[in-house]
Amino acid sequence: MTQSNPKIEVKELTILFGATPALNGVSFDVRHQEILAVIGPANSGKSSLLLALNRMLSRIHEASVTGSILLDGRDIGNIEDVEDLRRRVGMVYAMPIALPMTIRENVLFGIRLKRTIRKNEGDTIVESTLRSSFLWDEVKDRLDTSALNLSGGQQQRLCLARTLAVGPEVILYDEPCSGLDPISTAKVEEAMKELKTAHTQILVTNNTKQAARVGDRTAFLLMGELVEIDDTDKIFTFPSDPRTEQYVTGKFG
Amino acid sequence: MDKLVSRLLLLAACSSAAILALIALFIFKEGVPIMARSGLGAFLLGRDWSPLQGQFGILPFIIGSLCITLGALLIGVPLGVACAVYLAEFSSPRWVNILKPAIELLAGIPSVVYGFLGVMWLAPLIRIRLGGPGLSILAASCVLAIMTLPTIVSISIDALQAVPKSYKQGSLALGATEWQTVWRVLFPAARAGILAGVILGMGRAIGETMAVIMISGNSTAIPHSALDSVRTLTANIAIEMGYATGEHRQALFATGVILFFFIMILNGAALRFARRKF
Amino acid sequence: MTTMIRTKATVSFFVLAIAISGSGSGCARKSENTITLAGSTAFQPFAEKLAEQYLETHTDVRVNVQGGGSAVGVQAALAGSAQIGMADLLTLPEEAKTLTPTVVARDGIALVVHPKNALAELSATQARSVFTGEINNWKDLGGADAPIRIISREEGSGTRRSFQELVLGDSKLSPNALFQNSNGTIREAVASNPDAIGYLSIGLVNDRVKSISYAGVVASNENVKNGTYPLARPIFLLTKGEQSPMVREFIDFVMADASQRVLEKEGLIPAK
Amino acid sequence: MRIAPRTTQAIAKGLLLTATASAVGALVFVVGFVLAGGLRHVSWSFLTEPILDMGRAGGIFPAIVGTLLMVLVSVGIAAPLGIASAIYLAEYTREGRLTQTIRFGINCLAGVPSIIFGLFGFILFVNILGLGWSVLSGGLSLAAMILPTVIRTAEEALRSVPTSYRDVAASLGATRWQVVTKSVLPYAIPGILTGVILGIGRSIEETAVVIFTAGSAVQTPTSVFDSARTMAVHFYILAREGISNENAYATAAVLICTILIINTTAYTLMHRLMRGRRAA
């Protein structure tokens, strides 16, 4: 597999909720090990796009999807083992959702769904993923206490560690820092940059500055249409579409 | 494998409907012929119940069931829901932890015990203070209300506690008083659960037999006030089934058929009310 | 994962299969040395008492005594779910024609009022007028000005049928009567209401209620026995077809003098 | 004139407190009366001896065994079946004609009077299936009776678990069944337990059903195929025929203590299960 092939190819993707369209014939590629930032005002279809990428949309009865999404050249719609797909394409939600169990159990929750793991293997995974998500130093002494005692920012990084623990190739972020303070936000962004060495990441965000900070490329969605996708620098300095310029300079949205 | 699990669960879910169908089949088979013979109108609207003389009119029992169930709900639902709201929202968690299990404990006290206490305490009290024979609609409603309390209180507390904390905080932050929060936010959010409790409680009230037999006096006449004695549909079945034969027995099963429809209508009405109201 | 679920399903299937087959053999095992009596709730405690004594000398059998009511007694004897049905009806219903009845005892019926009620006796006519509702105030019987509350057994019960035939004849019970479905609750209901009048088994009259004379005769087992007190009903044991030796032995035991004396001590009137 | 919210709150709180006090008061009165009347006559021999002399003498050992067996059978059947039904309704399907039918069936079943369950069990289990008057017949009939309570409470409990827990599990690669078992069921246990406990209570207190299906034999049952008498039935027979009020109330007192023990055990088990899951 050469690096020139895209990791994900989205082709003519249309998503309907009942009769209401959320995404309208969108096509674009996601490259290996890049961070693609997706920006756009509310109801532009950003979150629906993410849910389509790991087929979480199939859990919503009234949603229907047409078009195709290729992961490493394979249409994910034809993948039979949807659980395996979701392990390959992980997801971090907007609200930090720590499950009501200990920190350790939270991190290992995903792997334990697949197989039983031994203590020392678990310890290794817990440490490495918590280090990757920049949480290890803060919680290493209380791994067996309830995760609900953590702050919002810590919980969100725990969620990232939990996602990392199942070994995803792609990580989807749905406005991961919308509820976090600047310091926690910085830590999450730092973690994302470090993860670039092995992961392809897609970041949906409401915060255009965040997109500018961490995105290699940025896509701008508006009312279910893809207006523009290009290098982040270009989007924020010389966008080709006037609507993009208006949005990134804060004129609307 | 997921398909298999899904099938098994569906099978389980259908079991209660299947049991209901079996029960219906069985009481209809026994009860419908006599209704056909004496005419549905005469059966439903007849005021005279003398089974050994071939008179099968169950209007007084329909009225009796309605009155007692309504009375029990009028007393039991406000009391039970208020109790749940107070315990879940205004009292300390320590009290909830003591009182909720204690109240659930009461679901297990035999209805015959309630019945006996009713006969010994409540009926004389009503007779002396308010008049009438004592064994009456009022007495039966009170006893049934107390019997439905554990179900209503316990399930309502669960429903209230399941409402996300953020709702409450959000409302309080807007300057609402605790009571406004409970009334405008928590209560609507928990209404499905509370309603489930009320429906189960109502089922218990309609279905209760032993206690009602003891406390309602079982008169076959149509009541004129809450202090009169009545007989319910269930009581009619239970009280005479032990000795009934032939047509008499069939007429009791026919009473069961009517009871069946009665319950279905009440359930339908309760659900509709729940949908419309909010 | 899949295999685990499959194993679980298989295991539960076998458990179910064993349970069902076990239930079949369980029944077969049971009927060999078990005598089941079912029916009249009024006679049930007495039957239990007799069974208890029977088992002292017959350790190899089990005697199950079930209630349900006289109708259940007839049905169970017909269906075979009980070898012996118990019924306390004055006359047996049509469908019991094929069963063999044995009268094992008689039960007297006493009219009772609240202990504070001054009334001591009712004539046959007065009793009929009271229970039909023609007389509905105690002052018409020389008592206080208060309505008479009739508390009766339910339609169909053995006591009620006997009472109907023996006291009311062709007249109908007052529509304002209240009903209770057992001797115990009748007693409680009368004991808790000074205006009440009811009727129950002579053996169960105690100091919570007052028994009154009927037609000039005191309600007592002696008077039933010597024929002066008319309100009483028979208690039947019903069997279907040829009695098995085990069943015959039990019925013989019930009819034996010792058992009859036990019943008499408990407040019933012996059959012999 | 508008009443100030604070005043409304004070009035409302007062009313709620009065309602709570009267509800709890009424219930305390019932329990207190039974315990006061009954506990005096309870002794070790009362708990361990057979029923003698129509219930006037001896103890209630057979009734205690009968009660426990009956609860075990009925809850053993109704709890798995009911929880499975609830999982199907809450997790495996969406609202439609089928769920409406099932739900309607459950609601109606909840309203079917116990006496009908008794007659139904008598015909089906005792006669047609040939199980006779037995703990099994009684347990099956009781299971049918308590099924709606278990289903309704379990379904409510499942629905009150946040949707996000399901999303998290699914996004981590959980199968549908794993979503249910790993991220929904554990948090619904307290609510489910409420239903099971209410079900246990109803099984214990029921008389009509038990008399018709399990009978009222005074001997101690040795298997589920034997007829048995529960404590509630024993109380009923003693009180109904006016045999012995002392022993009737003593039986009721033991009954209350039994429920207390069962409920406490259930709650303790639950707390042990839930420990570590909640914030400290």
Side-chain angles (χ1 to χ4, degrees), chain C residues 1 5 19 22-23 26-27 29-30 36 38 41-42 44-46 48-49 52 55 61-68 72 76 79 81-82 181-185 187-188 204 208 266, chain D residues 51-56 122 126-127 129-134 136 177-178 211-212 214-223 225-229 236-237 239-243 245:
Chain C
M1 199 66 212
I5 294 287
S23 67
C27 288
R29 172 181 62 86
K30 237 170 68 174
T36 303
T41 50
Q44 187 187 358
F46 304 102
E48 277 165 12
K49 171 114 190 172
E52 185 187 317
L55 290 177
V61 291
R62 231 183 122 88
V63 181
N64 278 334
V65 183
Q66 317 290 4
V72 170
S81 42
N181 67 337
S182 73
N183 282 313
T185 43
R187 195 170 68 189
E188 280 313 315
L204 289 167
R208 289 181 61 76
E266 295 295 348
Chain D
I51 299 167
L52 295 174
D53 196 11
M54 315 191 329
R56 271 185 303 228
F122 177 66
V126 177
N127 285 338
L129 293 182
L131 297 177
W133 283 287
S134 64
L136 194 60
W177 180 239
Q178 281 179 319
I211 287 176
F212 275 95
S216 47
V218 288
Q219 283 108 328
T220 311
T222 51
S223 81
F225 304 112
D226 281 339
S227 167
R229 164 182 294 205
Y236 180 60
I237 290 174
R240 181 191 62 195
E241 297 304 328
I243 294 166
N245 274 345

Side-chain angles (χ1 to χ4, degrees), chain B residues 127 214 217-218 229 239 242-244, chain C residues 69-71 154 156 178-180 192 194:
Chain B
R127 180 173 51 76
M214 291 179 186
N218 305 307
S229 159
I239 203 173
Y243 288 91
Chain C
S70 293
E154 74 281 9
L178 307 189
F179 298 94
Q180 292 292 343
S192 69

Side-chain angles (χ1 to χ4, degrees), chain B residues 158-246:
Chain B
D158 278 356
L160 285 165
Q161 284 178 339
V163 176
K165 290 264 179 304
S166 53
Y167 287 23
K168 188 176 181 181
Q169 284 158 358
S171 168
L172 290 174
L174 289 169
T177 62
E178 271 182 299
W179 168 244
Q180 285 171 325
T181 303
V182 167
W183 185 242
R184 305 244 166 105
V185 181
L186 298 184
F187 204 69
R191 71 159 201 278
I194 293 177
L195 194 83
V198 169
I199 288 183
L200 285 177
M202 184 174 79
R204 177 116 203 236
I206 306 171
E208 181 48 51
T209 331
M210 294 304 202
V212 171
I213 290 176
M214 291 179 186
I215 190 70
S216 68
N218 305 307
S219 158
T220 53
I222 292 177
H224 298 292
S225 84
L227 297 175
D228 280 347
S229 159
V230 290
R231 181 185 294 192
T232 64
L233 292 166
T234 50
N236 192 45
I237 301 171
I239 203 173
E240 293 184 0
M241 189 56 91
Y243 288 91
T245 51

